Amino acid sequence: MTQDSAASTPESTTAPKKAGKRIQVRKSGVHGKGVFSTVKLKKGEVLIEYIGEVISWKEALRRHPHDPKDPDHTFYFHVDDKHVIDAKYGGNAARWINHACTPNCEADEIDGRIFIKALRSIPPDTELFYDYGLIIDEPYTKKLKKQFECRCGTKGCRGTMLAPKKRG
């Protein structure tokens, strides 16, 4: 997740009213459902806001897992150290955007809201991706990396949806 330097939500950052006509949810070749462009999207364009119920991390942990048969699949989006968006409740199409290690979109947090925007021009009928950059505070073992396996197949694929550990 990137941090925008704006102090307030700029008007250009609000999700467009015609979002349903520019993107749509379809079956993904990468994983389950995905979100696809229906028209050419411009670099820097805000595509959709990631919405859902804003809850505390304590509540997110209480709710986990959403599906005991697939405990690592959630619709949680980390906002900050105190808040998470649970798109299982009140979520929109943004919850179906899949991960890629070399994404064509990014997530921007502005004043506690998450906006998905295009990193480059995106042609019609292209699946949208952003890098989930999942952070887990335990050592990255082969088993853990497999648990959060990436299926993006991009040239820069690191094999996992986990964020690279920072060396310090």
Side-chain angles (χ1 to χ4, degrees):
M1 175 167 39
T2 61
Q3 184 74 23
D4 192 300
S5 60
S8 62
T9 306
E11 191 171 309
S12 64
T13 308
T14 56
K17 291 180 180 162
K18 296 181 183 178
K21 295 178 182 177
R22 297 175 321 120
I23 61 173
Q24 77 178 182
V25 177
R26 299 185 209 159
K27 183 173 174 29
S28 169
V30 173
H31 180 258
K33 294 179 181 179
V35 178
F36 293 78
S37 59
T38 58
V39 297
K40 182 178 179 180
L41 303 171
K42 297 177 185 171
K43 178 181 179 178
E45 184 176 356
V46 173
L47 308 177
I48 192 167
E49 181 176 359
Y50 194 100
I51 62 171
E53 185 180 358
V54 179
I55 59 174
S56 68
W57 275 105
K58 183 178 179 180
E59 177 62 12
L61 292 172
R62 188 194 68 75
R63 290 181 181 182
H64 186 74
H66 283 148
D67 179 359
K69 294 176 187 167
D70 191 7
D72 298 317
H73 184 267
T74 70
F75 293 115
Y76 292 151
F77 199 110
H78 171 102
V79 177
D80 57 34
D81 290 341
K82 296 180 183 177
H83 303 96
V84 61
I85 297 171
D86 185 352
K88 180 178 179 184
Y89 302 97
N92 60 4
R95 68 185 167 178
W96 299 112
I97 299 174
N98 282 313
H99 163 88
C101 298
T102 309
N104 55 10
C105 295
E106 69 178 343
D108 257 342
E109 182 272 326
I110 302 172
D111 293 336
R113 296 169 65 190
I114 305 298
F115 298 94
I116 309 301
K117 67 181 187 180
L119 283 170
R120 57 184 168 272
S121 178
I122 301 171
D125 297 316
T126 301
E127 185 165 359
L128 307 180
F129 298 99
Y130 62 88
D131 186 341
Y132 288 3
L134 301 177
I135 298 171
I136 296 185
D137 292 332
E138 57 189 81
Y140 286 6
T141 61
K142 283 185 180 183
K143 181 181 176 186
L144 186 66
K145 288 180 183 180
K146 179 74 174 164
Q147 186 178 342
F148 294 97
E149 180 181 25
C150 176
R151 302 177 187 130
C152 75
T154 62
K155 186 177 179 182
C157 184
R158 57 183 183 267
T160 183
M161 293 183 284
L162 298 170
K165 289 276 188 179
K166 293 183 179 176
R167 299 181 188 248

